[in-house]
Amino acid sequence: MALVLAAPLVIGGGLALLALARSPLQSDVPAAPLVGQVQPVARPASETVTATWVAPVERVVAAQSEGTVTGLAIEPGRPIAAGDVVVRVDGLPVIAFAAPAPLYRDVVEGMEGDDVRSVQAVLVDRGLLDRVDGLAGPATADAIERWNASYGLPHGRTFARSSVIWIPEGATVPVDVSIEVGDLLQPPTPIYRAVLDPERVDVDIEGDPARRTVSLADATVPLPPGQSAISDPEDVAAIRVVMADQDTAAVVVTTAGSHEVGGVPASAVLTDDAGNACVLTDLDGGSVRIDPLGGSLGMVEVDARLIGTPLVINPREAGVGETCG
C-alpha cells in the first residue's frame, strides 16, 4: 500500500497544501504531482545592475554643388522639408531632395532607372507630373522644365544633380551647420550634421511600470516607466559625466515604494520549441504562458496579475508534462 501524506509547502512566503504519494517499494514510479499556486514575492527596493552608454548615430549631409556660398537658409534645430532651399551657390538655389538615394547623374529625357523614379516622385509630389514609371519621357522632361522655372534655375529640361542636396531619411533636423556665406564648396562638401539616433544609456534590467531611479556616484536620474534605457538628453549627460571615459558602469536601480511580483518555482517552468515559457495549471495539461521578469536561484519572478494562479510544481518529475502544450 502506498503511503499518502498531506504536507504543507512554503513558496515565496505563501502556504499551499500538497498531496505527496510514494511507495517505498516502487522507487522507479514517478513522483506524485505537487500542486500549488503562484505566490506574491516582494522585489528588492534596490538592485545593482550594469549600465552601458550607447553613442549617437549621426549623419553628415554633403552637397554636390561647386562654387561660392552666397546664401544660407538652414540653422541648427530647424527642420528641413523636401523642396526647401537649403543654400545658394553662386546665387542659385540648392534644394532639399528627399529620396531613397542621392542622384549620381543629371536626369534628362530618354533616361530610365531608379534615379529617374526618384526625380519623378519629387515631381509628382509637387503636382508637376501624374505618375512614376522610371522612364523619363516628354511628360517628365516638361515637368522638370517647370520645376526648374519655379526655382529660377537655368537648367531647362535637365534635372541637375548639382541643384539638389540629398537629405537621408531621419536627417531632416541639423544639429550644427558646417558652412558659412562666403565659403567655397567643392563636392562633396559637408553642409550640416544630423543625429539619426540620439545617445542613450541602456540599463540591464527589465522594463517595469513602477517609478524607478538610476544612481551612479552623485548622479541620480529617473528611469522612465516601462523602459530599460535613459534617453532624456540632460539625464544621459548627468550619467555620462560620472561614467567619465568608461562606456559601462555598475549602477543602483531603486524602485519607489513596495513592488510585488508573482513567484514561481523554477521546477514548474516549461518551455516550447519557440522558447516560450509556461506553467501547467492542472494535471490535464492546461497551461498559462509566463514572461519571466527575473528571479533568483530556484525562483522565477512573473507578472503580479498571475498571483493565485494554480500550477503544477514538478511536472517533469511527476511525468505530467515536459513542454508547453
Side-chain angles (χ1 to χ4, degrees):
M1 177 182 297
L3 178 64
V4 179
L5 301 176
L9 177 69
V10 178
I11 304 175
L15 191 64
L17 190 64
L18 308 176
L20 307 180
R22 174 73 65 174
S23 168
L25 302 179
Q26 296 177 325
S27 59
D28 58 341
V29 175
L34 306 182
V35 180
Q37 59 182 219
V38 179
Q39 297 293 319
V41 174
R43 262 192 167 180
S46 298
E47 56 184 307
T48 301
V49 298
T50 300
T52 303
W53 175 72
V54 180
V57 177
E58 300 180 345
R59 188 66 183 260
V60 174
V61 178
Q64 296 299 324
S65 307
E66 183 175 357
T68 301
V69 177
T70 54
L72 193 59
I74 55 173
E75 59 186 45
R78 190 176 75 183
I80 298 172
D84 285 354
V85 174
V86 177
V87 63
R88 288 184 178 272
V89 178
D90 293 341
L92 297 178
V94 180
I95 305 150
F97 180 73
L103 291 181
Y104 63 92
R105 60 179 177 174
D106 294 345
V107 173
V108 297
E109 185 174 354
M111 288 183 174
E112 59 180 316
D114 290 338
D115 55 342
V116 174
R117 289 181 176 276
S118 294
V119 170
Q120 288 177 326
V122 169
L123 298 173
V124 169
D125 187 63
R126 181 59 68 89
L128 300 173
L129 188 65
D130 293 332
R131 64 192 181 98
V132 175
D133 59 12
L135 176 62
T140 298
D142 289 343
I144 290 173
E145 187 172 25
R146 292 194 295 273
W147 163 276
N148 286 329
S150 69
Y151 285 102
L153 292 168
H155 306 308
R157 296 167 70 83
T158 298
F159 198 99
R161 65 190 292 257
S162 63
S163 69
V164 295
I165 178 171
W166 179 54
I167 310 295
E169 183 179 2
T172 57
V173 181
V175 173
D176 52 47
V177 180
S178 310
I179 60 172
E180 297 178 350
V181 173
D183 287 352
L184 181 63
L185 299 188
Q186 192 74 31
T189 300
I191 300 297
Y192 69 85
R193 179 176 61 93
V195 176
L196 305 187
D197 192 7
E199 67 175 337
R200 67 181 191 275
V201 175
D202 287 343
V203 184
D204 188 17
I205 195 170
E206 296 288 339
D208 195 297
R211 290 185 297 110
R212 297 183 293 179
T213 58
V214 176
S215 300
L216 177 60
D218 58 353
T220 298
V221 302
L223 184 61
Q227 301 295 313
S228 59
I230 301 166
S231 55
D232 180 89
E234 292 185 3
D235 294 339
V236 172
I239 292 293
R240 187 63 178 150
V241 166
V242 292
M243 289 179 76
D245 295 329
Q246 302 299 314
D247 290 343
T248 62
V251 298
V252 177
V253 178
T254 302
T255 302
S258 60
H259 183 48
E260 191 175 71
V261 296
V264 172
S267 61
V269 179
L270 303 176
T271 58
D272 60 18
D273 293 339
N276 299 313
C278 73
V279 294
L280 299 186
T281 56
D282 55 53
L283 303 181
D284 296 324
S287 66
V288 61
R289 180 173 172 175
I290 63 172
D291 292 312
L293 303 176
S296 57
L297 184 63
M299 182 66 68
V300 175
E301 295 175 354
V302 296
D303 194 303
R305 289 173 293 184
L306 293 175
I307 293 174
T309 301
L311 57 82
V312 180
I313 296 171
N314 62 339
R316 298 180 187 83
E317 293 79 0
V320 177
E322 293 285 338
T323 183
C324 298

